[in-house]
């Protein structure tokens, strides 16, 4: 294990906090990408129909 993994093993609350921050960052990125209300499918999906 590297030093960061050893540190996380010794600090379980920090591990939980960093994991939660990681998931909140993913949710925030999804909100930024799709929060504008643009849920249209790309044109290439229906070009052969």
């Amino acid at each position: 294990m590297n030093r960061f993994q050893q540190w996380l093993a010794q600090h379980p609350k920090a591990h939980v906090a960093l994991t939660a921050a990681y998931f909140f960052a993913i949710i925030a990125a999804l909100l930024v990408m799709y929060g504008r209300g643009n849920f249209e499918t790309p044109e290439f999906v229906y070009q052969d129909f």
Side-chain angles (χ1 to χ4, degrees):
M1 281 202 292
N2 65 24
R3 295 172 97 188
F4 183 68
Q5 288 173 331
Q6 289 174 349
W7 185 84
L8 281 179
Q10 295 170 354
H11 300 88
K13 288 183 182 180
H15 187 269
V16 171
L18 288 173
T19 302
Y22 172 75
F23 284 109
F24 282 126
I26 291 173
I27 292 169
L30 289 172
L31 286 173
V32 167
M33 287 180 2
Y34 297 109
R36 292 174 273 174
N38 185 7
F39 296 106
E40 297 175 3
T41 54
E43 294 178 16
F44 67 86
V45 173
Y46 297 108
Q47 72 185 21
D48 289 333
F49 292 106

